[in-house]
Amino acid sequence: MDLAKVKSLIEEFVDSKTVNAVLSFAQSDDNSTETINSIAAMFGYSGSFESEDEHKLVQSFKNNLKLLIEKTWVEKSDIALKEQILFLLEKFCNESDWTKNFSEFLTILNEAVYLMFGQQTKSGDFGEYSLRIDPGFGIFWWYVKSLPATAEWPVEKCRNAVLLGMYFLANY
C-alpha cells in the first residue's frame, strides 16, 4: 500500500492533526494521552480513551469480529482459513501478553479482511479502494497498515495500539 498516496486521500476525511498523530504513534515512541485520544476520536470515541473498560472492549471486539467472520460467505477453498481465524481470535482474546498480541492482532485482521474482500486486499490500491467503498473502514485500514508488522514497543504502547483497533471493530 502506498501510504503517501493513501495519506493524501485520508486527509479528505481526517484532519491533518489526527493524521500526524497516527503517523507519530506508528513511527516513533509517541504514546502520549493526547495522541491516543486523537486516534480514538478518529474512530468515534469521545472522552479519554484511558478510561475505556478493557474487558468490555475485548468482549465486544471478539463478538463483533466473530460475527463478521461467521457471516462472511467464502469460497470452499477458504473454509479452513475461516475456521483458523476463528480459532486464532478465541486464543487471542484469552491472551494477556500485549506485546505478543500486537502481531497476532495484525495477523487476524489481515486474514479477516482477506476473507471479506478476497484478492483485492493483495493489490496495492486496496487502501484507496477501502476508502472509497467505506471511508470509516478505509481510515481504520490505513491506521492498521500504518503500524509496523512487529513492534519493539513497551507493553503499554502495544496495548494501546491493539485496543484502538479493537475499539473500531467493536463498534463497526
Side-chain angles (χ1 to χ4, degrees):
M1 170 154 72
D2 181 0
L3 290 178
K5 181 179 179 183
V6 175
K7 180 182 181 269
S8 68
L9 287 171
I10 290 289
E11 289 177 339
E12 293 178 23
F13 304 98
V14 179
D15 64 77
S16 62
K17 179 183 176 206
T18 305
V19 169
N20 291 333
V22 170
L23 296 176
S24 177
F25 179 76
Q27 299 171 359
S28 75
D29 63 353
D30 184 0
N31 192 36
S32 68
T33 300
E34 180 182 353
T35 297
I36 300 303
N37 286 335
S38 182
I39 296 168
M42 177 177 73
F43 294 143
Y45 191 85
S46 59
S48 177
F49 193 72
E50 292 174 332
S51 64
E52 180 65 26
D53 181 346
E54 182 179 307
H55 177 72
K56 181 180 174 188
L57 181 57
V58 170
Q59 284 307 115
S60 293
F61 161 78
K62 177 182 171 185
N63 292 341
N64 280 6
L65 191 56
K66 183 178 177 182
L67 181 64
L68 197 59
I69 293 166
E70 287 176 342
K71 297 298 179 188
T72 298
W73 181 88
V74 296
E75 297 287 340
K76 208 171 214 171
S77 60
D78 287 330
I79 291 174
L81 177 60
K82 187 175 188 176
E83 291 170 1
Q84 178 188 9
I85 296 168
L86 290 170
F87 173 77
L88 290 173
L89 178 63
E90 187 67 37
K91 182 179 162 195
F92 167 83
C93 290
N94 291 320
E95 176 65 51
S96 60
D97 180 346
W98 290 106
T99 304
K100 180 180 177 185
N101 270 358
F102 178 83
S103 58
E104 289 181 6
F105 179 69
L106 296 177
T107 298
I108 290 167
L109 291 182
N110 280 298
E111 297 295 345
V113 170
Y114 172 80
L115 278 184
M116 292 185 286
F117 294 97
Q119 282 300 116
Q120 179 71 27
T121 61
K122 306 292 185 198
S123 73
D125 65 348
F126 180 70
E128 182 179 348
Y129 171 78
S130 65
L131 274 170
R132 302 240 183 259
I133 62 166
D134 181 348
F137 179 80
I139 290 165
F140 165 74
W141 194 242
W142 170 72
Y143 165 76
V144 169
K145 289 303 184 181
S146 295
L147 298 172
T150 58
E152 298 289 325
W153 291 339
V155 172
E156 191 62 24
K157 184 164 181 170
C158 289
R159 176 185 172 274
N160 286 333
V162 172
L163 289 178
L164 285 164
M166 284 180 151
Y167 178 79
F168 175 83
L169 288 170
N171 294 286
Y172 186 64

